[in-house]
Amino acid sequence: MEEEAVDVVLVGGGVMSATLATLLHELEPTARIEVVERLDSIASESSFAWNNAGTGHAGLCELNYTPPGPDGAIDIGKAVSINTMFEESKQLWSSLVADGNLGDPTRFLSPVPHMSFVRGEDGVRYLRSRHEAMSHHHCFETMQFSRDPATIAEWAPLLMAGRDADEPVAATRVEGGTDVNFGALTDQLFQRLGERPDDQVRISTGQKVKDIARNADGTWSLKIDTSGGDRRVLRARFIFLGAGGASLRLLQKSGIPEARGYAGFPVSGQWLRCDKPEVVARHRAKVYSKAAIGAPPMSVPHLDTRNVDGKPSLLFGPFAGFTTKFLKHGSVFDLVKSVSSSNLSPMLAVARSNFSLMKYLVDQVRLSHAQRVEELRDFYPDVDADDWRLEVAGQRVQIIKKDPKKGGVLQFGTEIVTAGDGSLAALLGASPGASTATSIMLDLIERCFPERFASAEWQARLARLVPVRATALAEDAARLRAVRERTQRILKLDAAAPSAPRSAERAPCAPREAAEVACS
């Protein structure tokens, strides 16, 4: 069997590979890149619109990103980091749209306010403190706070209709939030790459990677079975494993020492979905609240506006579950096959120390439709169960890794694992990965191609794609405002432009000084 040589192979046809392929092609147009997807269509797993909530995660509404310290002080560091990383994603999309390399942004991006909602006096005190801390930072200076039922009802009518008037409630709102159809974004990125006249990027579907082996010259060979029954071998200088939950097994097959000790904890998900126009029309927001005790961060409850293929819907959830599959279209043997001598101990340690999580997942699996609707009733007191149906979400595989003190820890979020020489990289973990894909992939490129990344040529091209990096945005209010003005305009998000907060309880904002940024 003959080998076909390329420069780069990206395994997985989701938003991560689409983002990395786009960046690498822009930085090195002559590189030969092939994307290999196991299914017969791209963006069919976690990136598919109904497999995720579509939240453009920007730290605006997710309460688990702003934990209180022992003294009650709110730590906003993670929220600032995620907010500015999402701004990097919007900058990349804006640059591609401006250059004619992404198409109509309204096909994948919609303006939707982001809200946080709490109940009870303890929740109100926490949210007031959170608003006070966040609104003093320029990333969140337009955040509004209210505990007035009439104001909250104006922001999101479903939250207050039928609610006990004596129940303490509070909410924050940021008008400039977004809903993202990551499946449509992936489609558009790959479509434009496939249309380039240089023919340097190839997207191959129905291609399952069976094995990965290191060659004597430092390159990699991938053995691939096609859906048509053929076999092929790809030889590449660099491999990216961006296949969602399947990345772990492929990383293990690579044999790199950096993979030792990593394991996966699969968590499935379900939503309640409503398409009834008269209900959908009464809610335009993504509303996040607090997670139940023992629930994983990905199970923070939220009631969301979704815009998929031009049609608005509502989602509520997610309701977690457990399966041994690492992909929605995977095998029940995925978890068993991932167990090795190097990761068994961390897995057992995590199992011993996460009994409450295990119980939570079992309880979630056993929920009836009526019980799920009762959880929704905390957000939407007047809910009619007949208006909602079950929607199966995508599969998430959380990271388990060795820990010198605990033996093993369960880690939420995303992590890049790279070979020592930078010739292979794998992305493990889950949310908020898709929203921060640009930042994650830029970090990967810097780690795997350090000399080229530091070159004047690549830095000049990078400055055109992402003019202002996250660190600068977090530190410089004027540059952040200028970047947002440009991305809002190019991405046609002007309807979501931040407005002057109306809440009398809002912390004072810094004046909006004039600002310019070298973006065009």
Side-chain angles (χ1 to χ4, degrees), residues 328-415:
K328 187 174 180 178
H329 301 285
S331 166
V332 294
F333 299 107
D334 287 340
L335 178 59
V336 174
K337 290 180 178 179
S338 73
V339 178
S340 68
S341 59
S342 72
N343 66 19
L344 179 58
S345 178
M347 293 178 75
L348 293 175
V350 166
R352 287 193 300 268
S353 61
N354 285 272
F355 178 77
S356 61
L357 174 58
M358 303 298 181
K359 182 180 183 301
Y360 170 81
L361 294 177
V362 171
D363 290 344
Q364 289 274 292
V365 170
R366 296 167 60 186
L367 288 177
S368 65
H369 180 71
Q371 289 172 316
R372 293 189 179 97
V373 171
E374 281 306 303
E375 292 195 22
L376 170 56
R377 202 175 299 279
D378 289 339
F379 280 74
Y380 176 16
D382 281 348
V383 61
D384 183 340
D386 293 337
D387 294 339
W388 298 76
R389 61 182 173 87
L390 200 62
E391 184 80 42
V392 178
Q395 191 76 353
R396 302 291 185 269
V397 178
Q398 309 295 350
I399 301 167
I400 294 176
K401 57 194 300 186
K402 287 184 177 179
D403 182 83
K405 294 182 179 180
K406 299 180 180 179
V409 292
L410 182 62
Q411 176 177 298
F412 296 97
T414 55
E415 182 170 341

Coordinates of all heavy atoms in Angstrom, one line a residue, residues 328-415:
K328 N -21.0 10.7 20.2 CA -22.5 10.4 20.0 C -22.7 9.3 19.1 O -23.6 8.4 19.2 CB -23.2 11.7 19.6 CG -24.7 11.6 19.5 CD -25.3 12.9 19.2 CE -26.8 12.8 19.2 NZ -27.4 14.2 18.9
H329 N -21.9 9.2 18.0 CA -21.9 8.2 17.0 C -20.7 7.2 17.3 O -20.1 6.7 16.3 CB -21.9 8.7 15.6 CG -23.0 9.7 15.3 ND1 -24.3 9.3 15.1 CD2 -23.0 11.0 15.2 CE1 -25.0 10.3 14.8 NE2 -24.3 11.4 14.9
G330 N -20.5 6.9 18.5 CA -19.3 6.1 18.9 C -19.7 4.7 19.3 O -20.9 4.2 19.0
S331 N -18.9 4.0 20.0 CA -19.1 2.6 20.4 C -19.2 2.5 21.9 O -18.5 3.3 22.7 CB -17.9 1.7 20.0 OG -17.9 0.5 20.6
V332 N -20.0 1.6 22.4 CA -20.2 1.4 23.8 C -18.9 0.9 24.5 O -18.8 0.9 25.7 CB -21.4 0.5 24.2 CG1 -22.7 1.1 23.8 CG2 -21.2 -0.9 23.5
F333 N -18.0 0.4 23.7 CA -16.7 -0.1 24.2 C -15.6 1.0 24.2 O -14.5 0.7 24.6 CB -16.2 -1.2 23.3 CG -17.2 -2.4 23.2 CD1 -17.9 -2.7 22.1 CD2 -17.3 -3.2 24.4 CE1 -18.8 -3.7 22.1 CE2 -18.2 -4.3 24.3 CZ -19.0 -4.5 23.2
D334 N -15.9 2.2 23.9 CA -14.9 3.3 23.9 C -14.2 3.5 25.2 O -13.0 3.6 25.3 CB -15.5 4.6 23.5 CG -15.9 4.7 22.0 OD1 -15.4 3.9 21.2 OD2 -16.8 5.6 21.6
L335 N -15.0 3.5 26.3 CA -14.4 3.7 27.6 C -13.5 2.6 28.0 O -12.3 2.8 28.5 CB -15.5 3.9 28.7 CG -15.0 4.1 30.1 CD1 -14.1 5.3 30.2 CD2 -16.2 4.2 31.1
V336 N -14.0 1.3 27.8 CA -13.2 0.1 28.1 C -11.9 0.1 27.4 O -10.8 -0.2 27.9 CB -14.0 -1.1 27.9 CG1 -13.1 -2.4 28.1 CG2 -15.2 -1.2 28.8
K337 N -11.9 0.4 26.1 CA -10.7 0.4 25.2 C -9.7 1.5 25.6 O -8.5 1.4 25.2 CB -11.1 0.5 23.8 CG -11.9 -0.7 23.2 CD -12.2 -0.4 21.7 CE -12.9 -1.7 21.1 NZ -13.3 -1.4 19.7
S338 N -10.2 2.5 26.3 CA -9.2 3.6 26.7 C -8.4 3.3 27.9 O -7.5 4.0 28.3 CB -10.0 4.9 26.9 OG -10.8 4.9 28.1
V339 N -8.8 2.2 28.7 CA -8.2 1.9 29.9 C -6.8 1.3 29.6 O -6.7 0.4 28.8 CB -9.0 1.0 30.8 CG1 -8.3 0.6 32.1 CG2 -10.4 1.6 31.1
S340 N -5.8 1.8 30.3 CA -4.4 1.3 30.1 C -3.7 1.2 31.5 O -4.2 1.7 32.5 CB -3.6 2.2 29.2 OG -3.4 3.4 29.8
S341 N -2.6 0.6 31.5 CA -1.8 0.5 32.7 C -1.4 1.9 33.3 O -1.2 2.0 34.5 CB -0.5 -0.3 32.5 OG 0.3 0.2 31.5
S342 N -1.3 2.9 32.4 CA -0.8 4.2 32.9 C -2.0 5.1 33.4 O -1.7 6.0 34.1 CB -0.1 4.9 31.7 OG -1.0 5.4 30.7
N343 N -3.2 4.7 33.0 CA -4.3 5.6 33.4 C -5.3 4.9 34.4 O -6.3 5.6 34.8 CB -5.0 6.2 32.3 CG -5.8 5.2 31.4 OD1 -6.1 4.1 31.8 ND2 -6.1 5.6 30.2
L344 N -5.1 3.7 34.6 CA -6.1 3.0 35.5 C -6.1 3.5 36.9 O -7.2 3.8 37.5 CB -5.7 1.5 35.6 CG -6.7 0.6 36.4 CD1 -8.1 0.7 36.0 CD2 -6.2 -0.8 36.5
S345 N -4.9 3.8 37.5 CA -4.9 4.4 38.8 C -5.6 5.7 38.9 O -6.4 6.0 39.8 CB -3.4 4.5 39.3 OG -3.3 5.0 40.6
P346 N -5.3 6.7 38.0 CA -6.0 8.0 38.1 C -7.6 7.8 37.9 O -8.3 8.5 38.6 CB -5.5 8.8 36.9 CG -4.1 8.2 36.6 CD -4.2 6.7 37.0
M347 N -8.0 6.9 37.1 CA -9.4 6.6 36.9 C -10.1 6.1 38.2 O -11.1 6.6 38.6 CB -9.7 5.6 35.8 CG -9.3 6.2 34.4 SD -9.5 4.9 33.1 CE -11.3 5.0 32.9
L348 N -9.4 5.2 38.9 CA -9.9 4.7 40.1 C -9.9 5.7 41.2 O -10.9 5.8 42.0 CB -9.1 3.5 40.6 CG -9.2 2.2 39.7 CD1 -8.2 1.1 40.2 CD2 -10.6 1.7 39.6
A349 N -8.9 6.6 41.2 CA -8.9 7.7 42.2 C -10.0 8.6 42.0 O -10.6 9.1 43.0 CB -7.5 8.4 42.1
V350 N -10.3 9.0 40.7 CA -11.4 9.9 40.4 C -12.7 9.2 40.8 O -13.6 9.9 41.4 CB -11.4 10.3 38.9 CG1 -12.7 10.9 38.5 CG2 -10.2 11.2 38.7
A351 N -12.9 7.9 40.6 CA -14.1 7.3 40.9 C -14.4 7.3 42.4 O -15.5 7.5 42.9 CB -14.1 5.8 40.4
R352 N -13.3 7.1 43.2 CA -13.4 7.1 44.6 C -13.8 8.5 45.2 O -14.5 8.6 46.2 CB -12.1 6.6 45.3 CG -11.9 5.2 45.2 CD -10.7 4.7 46.1 NE -9.5 5.4 45.8 CZ -8.6 5.0 45.0 NH1 -8.7 3.8 44.3 NH2 -7.5 5.7 44.8
S353 N -13.3 9.5 44.6 CA -13.4 10.9 45.1 C -14.6 11.7 44.5 O -14.8 12.8 44.9 CB -12.1 11.7 45.0 OG -11.8 11.8 43.6
N354 N -15.3 11.1 43.6 CA -16.4 11.8 42.9 C -17.8 11.0 43.1 O -18.5 10.9 42.1 CB -16.1 12.0 41.5 CG -15.1 13.1 41.3 OD1 -15.4 14.3 41.2 ND2 -13.8 12.7 41.3
F355 N -18.0 10.5 44.3 CA -19.2 9.7 44.5 C -20.5 10.6 44.2 O -21.5 10.1 43.6 CB -19.3 9.2 45.9 CG -20.6 8.4 46.2 CD1 -20.8 7.1 45.7 CD2 -21.6 9.0 46.9 CE1 -22.0 6.5 46.0 CE2 -22.8 8.4 47.2 CZ -23.0 7.1 46.7
S356 N -20.4 11.9 44.7 CA -21.6 12.7 44.5 C -21.9 13.0 43.0 O -23.1 13.1 42.6 CB -21.4 14.1 45.2 OG -20.3 14.7 44.7
L357 N -20.8 13.1 42.2 CA -21.0 13.2 40.8 C -21.6 12.0 40.2 O -22.6 12.1 39.3 CB -19.7 13.5 40.1 CG -19.7 13.6 38.6 CD1 -20.7 14.6 38.1 CD2 -18.3 13.9 38.0
M358 N -21.2 10.8 40.6 CA -21.7 9.6 40.1 C -23.2 9.5 40.4 O -24.1 9.1 39.6 CB -21.0 8.4 40.7 CG -19.5 8.3 40.4 SD -19.1 8.2 38.6 CE -17.3 8.2 38.7
K359 N -23.6 9.8 41.6 CA -25.0 9.8 42.1 C -25.8 10.8 41.2 O -26.9 10.5 40.8 CB -25.1 10.1 43.5 CG -26.5 10.0 44.1 CD -26.6 10.4 45.5 CE -28.0 10.3 46.1 NZ -28.9 11.2 45.4
Y360 N -25.2 11.9 41.0 CA -25.9 12.9 40.2 C -26.2 12.4 38.8 O -27.3 12.6 38.3 CB -25.1 14.2 40.1 CG -25.6 15.2 39.1 CD1 -26.6 16.1 39.5 CD2 -25.0 15.4 37.9 CE1 -27.1 17.0 38.6 CE2 -25.5 16.3 37.0 CZ -26.5 17.1 37.3 OH -27.0 18.0 36.4
L361 N -25.2 11.8 38.2 CA -25.4 11.3 36.8 C -26.5 10.2 36.8 O -27.3 10.1 35.9 CB -24.1 10.8 36.3 CG -23.0 11.8 36.0 CD1 -21.8 11.1 35.5 CD2 -23.5 12.9 35.0
V362 N -26.5 9.3 37.8 CA -27.5 8.2 37.9 C -28.9 8.8 38.0 O -29.8 8.4 37.3 CB -27.2 7.3 39.0 CG1 -28.3 6.3 39.2 CG2 -25.9 6.5 38.7
D363 N -29.0 9.8 38.9 CA -30.3 10.5 39.1 C -30.8 11.1 37.8 O -32.0 11.1 37.5 CB -30.2 11.5 40.2 CG -30.0 10.8 41.6 OD1 -30.3 9.6 41.7 OD2 -29.6 11.6 42.5
Q364 N -29.8 11.8 37.1 CA -30.2 12.4 35.8 C -30.7 11.4 34.8 O -31.7 11.7 34.1 CB -29.0 13.2 35.3 CG -28.7 14.4 36.1 CD -29.5 15.6 35.7 OE1 -29.3 16.2 34.6 NE2 -30.4 16.1 36.5
V365 N -30.1 10.3 34.7 CA -30.5 9.3 33.7 C -31.9 8.8 34.0 O -32.7 8.5 33.1 CB -29.5 8.1 33.8 CG1 -30.1 6.9 33.0 CG2 -28.2 8.5 33.2
R366 N -32.3 8.8 35.3 CA -33.6 8.3 35.7 C -34.7 9.3 35.6 O -35.9 8.9 35.9 CB -33.5 7.7 37.1 CG -32.5 6.5 37.2 CD -32.2 6.2 38.7 NE -33.4 5.8 39.4 CZ -33.4 5.6 40.7 NH1 -32.3 5.8 41.4 NH2 -34.5 5.3 41.3
L367 N -34.4 10.5 35.3 CA -35.5 11.6 35.2 C -36.5 11.2 34.2 O -36.2 10.8 33.0 CB -34.9 12.9 34.9 CG -34.0 13.6 36.0 CD1 -33.4 14.9 35.5 CD2 -34.9 13.8 37.3
S368 N -37.8 11.5 34.5 CA -38.9 11.4 33.5 C -39.1 12.8 32.8 O -38.5 13.8 33.3 CB -40.2 11.0 34.2 OG -40.6 12.0 35.1
H369 N -39.9 12.8 31.8 CA -40.2 14.0 31.1 C -40.8 15.0 32.1 O -40.4 16.2 32.1 CB -41.1 13.8 29.9 CG -41.5 15.1 29.2 ND1 -40.5 15.7 28.4 CD2 -42.6 15.8 29.1 CE1 -41.1 16.8 27.9 NE2 -42.4 16.9 28.3
A370 N -41.7 14.6 33.0 CA -42.4 15.4 33.9 C -41.4 16.0 34.9 O -41.5 17.2 35.3 CB -43.5 14.7 34.7
Q371 N -40.4 15.2 35.3 CA -39.4 15.7 36.3 C -38.5 16.7 35.6 O -38.1 17.7 36.2 CB -38.6 14.5 36.8 CG -39.3 13.6 37.8 CD -38.6 12.4 38.1 OE1 -38.0 11.7 37.3 NE2 -38.6 12.0 39.4
R372 N -38.1 16.5 34.3 CA -37.3 17.5 33.6 C -38.1 18.8 33.5 O -37.5 19.9 33.7 CB -36.9 17.0 32.3 CG -35.9 15.8 32.3 CD -35.4 15.5 30.9 NE -34.5 14.4 31.0 CZ -34.8 13.1 30.7 NH1 -36.0 12.8 30.4 NH2 -33.9 12.2 30.8
V373 N -39.4 18.7 33.2 CA -40.2 19.9 33.1 C -40.3 20.7 34.4 O -40.3 21.9 34.5 CB -41.6 19.6 32.6 CG1 -42.5 20.8 32.6 CG2 -41.5 19.1 31.1
E374 N -40.3 20.0 35.5 CA -40.3 20.6 36.8 C -39.0 21.4 37.1 O -39.1 22.5 37.7 CB -40.5 19.5 37.9 CG -42.0 19.1 38.1 CD -42.9 20.3 38.3 OE1 -42.7 21.1 39.3 OE2 -43.8 20.4 37.5
E375 N -37.9 20.9 36.6 CA -36.7 21.7 36.7 C -36.8 23.0 35.9 O -36.3 24.0 36.3 CB -35.5 20.8 36.3 CG -35.2 19.7 37.3 CD -33.8 19.1 37.1 OE1 -32.9 19.8 36.5 OE2 -33.6 18.0 37.5
L376 N -37.4 22.8 34.7 CA -37.6 24.0 33.8 C -38.5 25.0 34.5 O -38.3 26.2 34.3 CB -38.1 23.6 32.5 CG -38.7 24.7 31.5 CD1 -37.6 25.7 31.2 CD2 -39.2 24.0 30.2
R377 N -39.4 24.5 35.3 CA -40.4 25.4 36.0 C -39.7 26.4 36.9 O -40.2 27.5 37.2 CB -41.4 24.6 36.8 CG -42.7 25.3 37.0 CD -43.7 24.4 37.7 NE -44.1 23.3 36.9 CZ -44.9 23.3 35.9 NH1 -45.6 24.4 35.6 NH2 -45.2 22.2 35.2
D378 N -38.5 26.1 37.4 CA -37.7 27.1 38.2 C -37.4 28.3 37.4 O -37.3 29.5 37.9 CB -36.4 26.5 38.7 CG -36.7 25.5 39.8 OD1 -37.8 25.5 40.4 OD2 -35.8 24.6 40.1
F379 N -37.2 28.2 36.1 CA -36.9 29.3 35.1 C -38.2 29.8 34.6 O -38.4 31.1 34.4 CB -36.1 28.8 34.0 CG -34.6 28.7 34.3 CD1 -34.1 27.6 35.0 CD2 -33.7 29.6 33.8 CE1 -32.8 27.5 35.3 CE2 -32.4 29.5 34.0 CZ -31.9 28.4 34.8
Y380 N -39.2 29.0 34.3 CA -40.4 29.3 33.5 C -41.6 28.8 34.3 O -42.1 27.7 34.0 CB -40.2 28.7 32.1 CG -41.4 28.9 31.2 CD1 -42.4 29.8 31.3 CD2 -41.4 28.1 30.0 CE1 -43.4 29.9 30.4 CE2 -42.4 28.2 29.1 CZ -43.5 29.1 29.3 OH -44.5 29.2 28.4
P381 N -42.1 29.5 35.3 CA -43.2 29.0 36.1 C -44.4 28.5 35.4 O -45.1 27.6 35.8 CB -43.5 30.1 37.1 CG -42.2 30.9 37.1 CD -41.6 30.8 35.7
D382 N -44.8 29.2 34.3 CA -46.0 28.8 33.5 C -45.8 27.8 32.4 O -46.6 27.7 31.5 CB -46.6 30.1 32.9 CG -47.3 31.0 33.9 OD1 -47.6 30.5 35.1 OD2 -47.7 32.1 33.6
V383 N -44.7 27.0 32.5 CA -44.4 26.1 31.4 C -45.5 25.1 31.2 O -46.1 24.6 32.2 CB -43.1 25.4 31.7 CG1 -43.2 24.6 33.0 CG2 -42.7 24.5 30.6
D384 N -45.8 24.8 30.0 CA -46.7 23.7 29.6 C -45.8 22.5 29.1 O -45.1 22.7 28.1 CB -47.6 24.2 28.5 CG -48.7 23.2 28.1 OD1 -48.5 21.9 28.3 OD2 -49.7 23.5 27.5
A385 N -45.9 21.4 29.7 CA -45.0 20.3 29.3 C -45.2 19.8 27.9 O -44.3 19.3 27.3 CB -45.3 19.1 30.3
D386 N -46.4 20.0 27.4 CA -46.7 19.6 26.0 C -46.0 20.4 24.9 O -45.9 20.0 23.8 CB -48.2 19.6 25.7 CG -49.0 18.6 26.5 OD1 -48.3 17.6 27.0 OD2 -50.2 18.7 26.8
D387 N -45.5 21.6 25.3 CA -44.8 22.4 24.4 C -43.3 22.0 24.2 O -42.6 22.6 23.3 CB -44.8 23.9 24.9 CG -46.2 24.5 24.9 OD1 -47.1 23.9 24.2 OD2 -46.4 25.5 25.6
W388 N -42.8 21.1 25.0 CA -41.4 20.7 25.0 C -41.2 19.3 24.7 O -42.0 18.4 25.1 CB -40.8 21.1 26.4 CG -40.9 22.5 26.7 CD1 -42.0 23.2 27.1 CD2 -39.9 23.5 26.6 NE1 -41.7 24.5 27.3 CE2 -40.4 24.8 27.0 CE3 -38.5 23.4 26.3 CZ2 -39.7 25.9 27.0 CZ3 -37.8 24.6 26.3 CH2 -38.3 25.8 26.7
R389 N -40.1 19.0 24.0 CA -39.7 17.6 23.6 C -38.2 17.4 23.9 O -37.5 18.4 24.1 CB -40.0 17.3 22.2 CG -39.3 18.2 21.2 CD -39.7 17.8 19.7 NE -39.1 18.7 18.7 CZ -37.9 18.5 18.2 NH1 -37.1 17.5 18.6 NH2 -37.5 19.4 17.3
L390 N -37.8 16.2 24.0 CA -36.4 15.9 24.3 C -35.6 15.9 23.1 O -35.9 15.5 22.0 CB -36.4 14.5 24.9 CG -35.1 14.1 25.7 CD1 -35.0 15.0 26.9 CD2 -35.2 12.7 26.2
E391 N -34.4 16.5 23.2 CA -33.4 16.6 22.2 C -32.1 16.1 22.8 O -31.6 16.5 23.8 CB -33.2 18.1 21.8 CG -32.2 18.3 20.6 CD -32.8 18.0 19.3 OE1 -34.0 18.4 19.0 OE2 -32.1 17.4 18.4
V392 N -31.5 15.1 22.1 CA -30.3 14.5 22.6 C -29.1 15.3 22.2 O -28.9 15.7 21.0 CB -30.1 13.0 22.0 CG1 -28.8 12.4 22.5 CG2 -31.3 12.2 22.4
A393 N -28.3 15.7 23.2 CA -27.1 16.6 22.9 C -25.9 15.7 22.5 O -25.9 14.5 22.5 CB -26.8 17.4 24.2
G394 N -24.8 16.4 22.3 CA -23.6 15.7 21.9 C -22.9 15.1 23.1 O -23.3 15.3 24.3
Q395 N -21.9 14.3 22.9 CA -21.1 13.6 23.9 C -19.9 14.5 24.3 O -19.3 15.1 23.5 CB -20.7 12.3 23.4 CG -20.1 11.4 24.5 CD -21.2 10.7 25.4 OE1 -22.4 11.1 25.2 NE2 -20.8 9.8 26.2
R396 N -19.7 14.5 25.6 CA -18.5 15.2 26.1 C -17.6 14.3 26.9 O -18.1 13.4 27.6 CB -18.9 16.4 27.0 CG -19.8 17.4 26.4 CD -19.1 18.2 25.3 NE -19.9 19.3 24.8 CZ -20.7 19.2 23.7 NH1 -20.7 18.0 23.1 NH2 -21.4 20.2 23.3
V397 N -16.3 14.3 26.7 CA -15.4 13.5 27.5 C -14.5 14.4 28.3 O -13.6 15.1 27.7 CB -14.6 12.6 26.5 CG1 -13.6 11.8 27.4 CG2 -15.5 11.7 25.7
Q398 N -14.7 14.5 29.6 CA -13.9 15.3 30.5 C -12.6 14.6 30.8 O -12.4 13.4 30.7 CB -14.7 15.5 31.8 CG -16.1 16.0 31.6 CD -16.2 17.4 31.0 OE1 -15.2 18.1 30.8 NE2 -17.4 17.8 30.6
I399 N -11.6 15.4 31.1 CA -10.2 14.9 31.3 C -10.0 14.3 32.7 O -10.4 15.0 33.7 CB -9.2 16.1 31.0 CG1 -9.4 16.6 29.6 CG2 -7.8 15.6 31.2 CD1 -8.7 18.0 29.4
I400 N -9.4 13.2 32.7 CA -8.9 12.6 33.9 C -7.3 12.6 33.8 O -6.8 12.1 32.7 CB -9.4 11.2 34.2 CG1 -10.9 11.2 34.5 CG2 -8.7 10.6 35.4 CD1 -11.5 9.9 34.7
K401 N -6.6 13.0 34.8 CA -5.2 13.1 34.7 C -4.5 12.7 36.0 O -5.2 12.9 37.1 CB -4.7 14.4 34.1 CG -5.1 15.6 35.0 CD -4.9 16.9 34.3 CE -3.4 17.1 33.9 NZ -3.2 18.5 33.3
K402 N -3.3 12.3 36.0 CA -2.6 12.0 37.2 C -2.4 13.2 38.1 O -2.3 14.4 37.6 CB -1.2 11.4 36.9 CG -1.2 10.0 36.3 CD 0.2 9.5 36.1 CE 0.2 8.0 35.6 NZ 1.6 7.5 35.4
D403 N -2.4 13.0 39.4 CA -2.2 14.0 40.4 C -1.3 13.5 41.5 O -1.6 12.4 42.0 CB -3.5 14.5 41.0 CG -3.3 15.7 42.0 OD1 -3.2 16.8 41.5 OD2 -3.2 15.4 43.2
P404 N -0.2 14.2 41.8 CA 0.8 13.6 42.8 C 0.2 13.4 44.2 O 0.6 12.5 44.9 CB 1.9 14.6 42.8 CG 1.3 15.9 42.2 CD 0.3 15.4 41.3
K405 N -0.8 14.2 44.5 CA -1.4 14.1 45.9 C -2.7 13.2 45.9 O -2.8 12.4 46.8 CB -1.7 15.5 46.4 CG -0.5 16.4 46.6 CD -0.9 17.7 47.2 CE 0.3 18.6 47.5 NZ -0.1 19.9 48.0
K406 N -3.5 13.4 44.9 CA -4.8 12.7 44.9 C -4.8 11.4 44.1 O -5.8 10.6 44.2 CB -5.9 13.6 44.4 CG -6.1 14.9 45.3 CD -7.2 15.8 44.7 CE -7.4 17.0 45.5 NZ -8.5 17.9 45.0
G407 N -3.8 11.2 43.4 CA -3.7 10.0 42.5 C -4.3 10.3 41.1 O -3.7 9.9 40.1
G408 N -5.4 11.0 41.1 CA -6.0 11.4 39.8 C -7.1 12.5 40.1 O -7.7 12.5 41.2
V409 N -7.3 13.4 39.1 CA -8.2 14.5 39.2 C -9.1 14.5 38.0 O -8.6 14.2 36.9 CB -7.6 15.8 39.5 CG1 -6.9 15.9 40.8 CG2 -6.6 16.1 38.4
L410 N -10.3 14.9 38.2 CA -11.2 15.2 37.0 C -11.2 16.6 36.7 O -11.4 17.5 37.5 CB -12.7 14.8 37.4 CG -13.8 14.9 36.4 CD1 -13.5 14.0 35.2 CD2 -15.1 14.6 37.0
Q411 N -10.8 16.9 35.5 CA -10.5 18.3 35.0 C -11.6 18.7 34.0 O -11.7 18.1 33.0 CB -9.1 18.4 34.5 CG -8.8 19.8 33.9 CD -7.4 19.8 33.4 OE1 -6.4 19.6 34.2 NE2 -7.2 20.1 32.1
F412 N -12.2 19.9 34.2 CA -13.2 20.4 33.3 C -12.5 21.5 32.4 O -11.6 22.1 32.9 CB -14.4 20.9 34.0 CG -15.2 19.8 34.7 CD1 -15.0 19.6 36.1 CD2 -16.1 19.0 34.1 CE1 -15.7 18.6 36.8 CE2 -16.7 18.0 34.7 CZ -16.5 17.8 36.1
G413 N -13.0 21.6 31.2 CA -12.4 22.6 30.3 C -11.6 21.8 29.2 O -11.9 20.7 29.0
T414 N -10.7 22.5 28.6 CA -9.9 21.9 27.5 C -8.4 21.9 27.8 O -7.9 22.7 28.6 CB -10.1 22.7 26.2 OG1 -9.8 24.1 26.4 CG2 -11.6 22.6 25.7
E415 N -7.7 21.0 27.2 CA -6.2 21.0 27.3 C -5.6 20.4 26.1 O -6.1 19.5 25.4 CB -5.9 20.1 28.5 CG -4.4 20.0 28.8 CD -4.1 19.3 30.1 OE1 -5.0 19.2 31.0 OE2 -2.9 18.9 30.3

